Amino acid sequence: MDRQRADKMRKQPDLMPDRDTRDPWYPVWTERPSFDLSSGKYLKVWQGPQHPGITGNMALELTLEGDIVVEAKTHVGYLHRGFEKLMERRRYIQCFPIVCRICVPEPDYNEYLFAAAAEELAGIEIPEKARWLRALTLEMIRIASLVMGLGGQGGSFGLGTVGQWAVAHRDYILDLFEELSGHRIYHMYIIPGGVRNELPDGFEERTEAVLKKIEKLIYDMEKVLFDNAVIKSRSQGLGVIPASWVEPFGITGTNARGAGIANDVRKDNPYLIYDQLDFDVITGSRSDAFDRSLLRKEEILMSIDLIRQIFKRMPKDGPFRIKLPNVLHWRIPSGETYVRAETGRGEMGYYMVSDGSGYPRRVHVRGASYTHAMSLLEQLAIGISMSDVGGLAVSLQTCPPEIER
């Protein structure tokens, strides 16, 4: 396949055979063609696994014609820790050091969903102030994750400067979490019954100072990342997700909103205090890697606005958690529930079953990465240059530990 035809296919994915015209509900995994490696026309290359995080935690088996991908298979299982099974042998409070590791860049969503599921089964209503504090930390970690994602997007196309800026500004937010919880990465600030601590004195002012730094970062990224001719030429038209794929593939979050589908759990199924905040769901139109980055930039600014609204409306006094029974002897009544939230990667849900003992009978985690990093990536990688595979994978904002739960 020559470069000119490959570029044409990448810019206009509807030229891919049957790619957008076929029934999106048809099981595409039955259509895999075979490639004769002994012909000398094709070459098989493995990309990963290597640690440096996020997409590096899994492997891609690529079949190339020249440098163009004609087949992509994803391989996971390199960091499988059996999170869900481990929880069946631990008391509810002992599960917290486990759940926050399901997605390192956004551990707080796992803490919230596990706590919310346990509280719903136990019939616990948390204090009003705890609801606001939980939403505050969820928006803070969303900004940290999206900022790091934008840095990774620049780095995946060879623009390392933006990646260094992003890591530094993520650290400013981690400084706030360290002050709030005593921990930088795994915070365990959200606990059953509420949150662990009240805000430290002056926390709002220090948070505002960090938010202004993030706004300045976005201003700089506009010039260096989004006005960059190389970034545009490599990311525009790359990894276009047709709107017709959103429902059959189970695509959520920014990847769905980039295709013009206004899915957002915060609006569709409001939890905590999101029904009291003023915000609109932002959507894109081109649905390519560049458009998804633009969307994430806008969502960072939206989260900054939400944090300012939270500080303005949050109760200044009142309890921030309720007293639970001795957590080492805490038994939750029999039942089952499903709770969900909007993470920086898309919808995340926890299905929890209790048999009335002191241990969860079953916990099933639904993360956005299972779809985005496997079935979707395998489809979008076909027809692109091998050098763009990393940029495509980063543009889907995935977290492999979430797949290997």
Side-chain angles (χ1 to χ4, degrees):
M1 186 181 299
D2 60 74
R3 165 69 72 173
Q4 189 177 13
R5 173 166 166 68
D7 285 346
K8 194 173 182 181
M9 290 171 66
R10 185 167 72 85
K11 300 294 183 186
Q12 301 180 50
D14 55 347
L15 294 180
M16 295 291 287
D18 299 329
R19 188 158 184 161
D20 294 332
T21 57
R22 68 188 172 204
D23 179 0
W25 291 93
Y26 188 77
V28 294
W29 52 87
T30 64
E31 298 178 345
R32 290 187 183 280
S34 59
F35 298 94
D36 182 9
L37 296 178
S38 64
S39 68
K41 187 178 180 182
Y42 305 105
L43 175 68
K44 183 154 288 189
V45 174
W46 284 77
Q47 182 168 306
Q50 70 276 358
H51 183 262
I54 317 298
T55 54
N57 292 144
M58 57 186 288
L60 286 172
E61 181 185 354
L62 303 173
T63 304
L64 307 176
E65 182 181 350
D67 67 338
I68 303 302
V69 178
V70 294
E71 185 183 44
K73 296 178 182 176
T74 54
H75 294 271
V76 297
Y78 298 98
L79 46 69
H80 180 63
R81 295 168 183 167
F83 297 115
E84 293 179 350
K85 201 66 181 172
L86 285 173
M87 283 189 266
E88 296 175 12
R89 294 293 181 269
R90 281 161 174 76
R91 296 188 178 278
Y92 287 91
I93 198 67
Q94 293 173 321
C95 292
F96 269 79
I98 296 174
V99 297
C100 56
R101 285 166 168 78
I102 292 177
C103 184
V104 179
E106 293 183 295
D108 304 76
Y109 286 101
N110 290 283
E111 297 171 14
Y112 163 65
L113 289 168
F114 186 88
E119 288 159 0
E120 188 167 316
L121 288 173
I124 291 173
E125 188 73 27
I126 65 171
E128 179 67 10
K129 187 165 187 178
R131 295 160 61 85
W132 288 85
L133 289 171
R134 285 183 174 185
L136 172 65
T137 55
L138 295 183
E139 291 304 318
M140 286 170 57
I141 200 63
R142 180 192 307 278
I143 293 175
S145 174
L146 293 178
V147 163
M148 193 167 69
L150 287 182
Q153 191 68 83
S156 65
F157 291 126
L159 186 59
T161 303
V162 174
Q164 298 296 326
W165 291 351
V167 170
H169 284 74
R170 174 178 177 257
D171 266 15
Y172 291 137
I173 297 179
L174 297 186
D175 288 343
L176 294 173
F177 272 109
E178 185 173 12
E179 181 182 352
L180 185 62
S181 66
H183 307 284
R184 291 186 68 78
I185 305 297
Y186 303 126
H187 312 124
M188 289 177 274
Y189 177 69
I190 297 174
I191 57 174
V195 297
R196 194 174 295 278
N197 299 313
E198 177 60 278
L199 294 180
D201 292 339
F203 189 79
E204 179 177 351
E205 291 74 16
R206 289 188 289 280
T207 302
E208 178 60 28
V210 171
L211 297 183
K212 287 180 177 175
K213 289 180 180 177
I214 302 290
E215 288 176 323
K216 172 66 167 52
L217 171 70
I218 295 299
Y219 177 77
D220 292 338
M221 280 186 172
E222 287 275 5
K223 296 180 176 178
V224 177
L225 181 65
F226 293 104
D227 288 343
N228 188 303
V230 174
I231 297 294
K232 284 183 177 179
S233 66
R234 293 190 63 182
S235 60
Q236 288 182 339
L238 175 67
V240 175
I241 301 173
S244 61
W245 285 18
V246 169
E247 189 176 356
F249 275 87
I251 300 168
T252 61
T254 314
N255 295 331
R257 293 192 285 277
I261 307 298
N263 289 345
D264 190 318
V265 182
R266 292 173 295 179
K267 276 288 186 187
D268 302 336
N269 184 34
Y271 50 96
L272 295 174
I273 45 75
Y274 283 104
D275 57 346
Q276 302 177 52
L277 300 178
D278 182 21
F279 68 101
D280 295 316
V281 178
I282 307 170
T283 58
S285 57
R286 294 192 300 270
S287 196
D288 57 20
F290 187 80
D291 207 26
R292 288 192 286 275
S293 293
L294 276 176
L295 203 53
R296 290 183 180 114
K297 180 205 70 172
E298 294 299 323
E299 294 193 349
I300 289 171
L301 296 175
M302 186 175 81
S303 289
I304 289 174
D305 180 62
L306 291 178
I307 288 175
R308 286 173 175 153
Q309 290 186 47
I310 290 170
F311 275 123
K312 189 175 181 180
R313 303 182 187 184
M314 181 170 58
K316 302 302 178 188
D317 301 310
F320 52 86
R321 70 167 179 261
I322 64 169
K323 184 175 176 55
L324 294 176
N326 186 330
V327 291
L328 295 179
H329 301 283
W330 188 26
R331 291 177 178 271
I332 291 182
S334 300
E336 58 183 322
T337 187
Y338 181 76
V339 294
R340 56 183 182 149
E342 184 73 23
T343 73
R345 306 172 312 288
E347 178 178 336
M348 185 170 214
Y350 266 57
Y351 172 66
M352 183 181 289
V353 180
S354 171
D355 58 7
S357 70
Y359 304 84
R361 176 64 184 86
R362 180 77 172 95
V363 179
H364 175 72
V365 181
R366 189 277 184 206
S369 301
Y370 192 91
T371 292
H372 298 166
M374 296 183 69
S375 52
L376 183 60
L377 178 58
E378 289 181 358
Q379 293 296 312
L380 295 177
I382 298 173
I384 71 172
S385 166
M386 184 181 71
S387 62
D388 288 336
V389 171
L392 170 64
V394 173
S395 80
L396 300 176
Q397 188 111 4
T398 57
C399 192
E402 200 174 76
I403 302 170
E404 304 172 27
R405 63 210 181 272

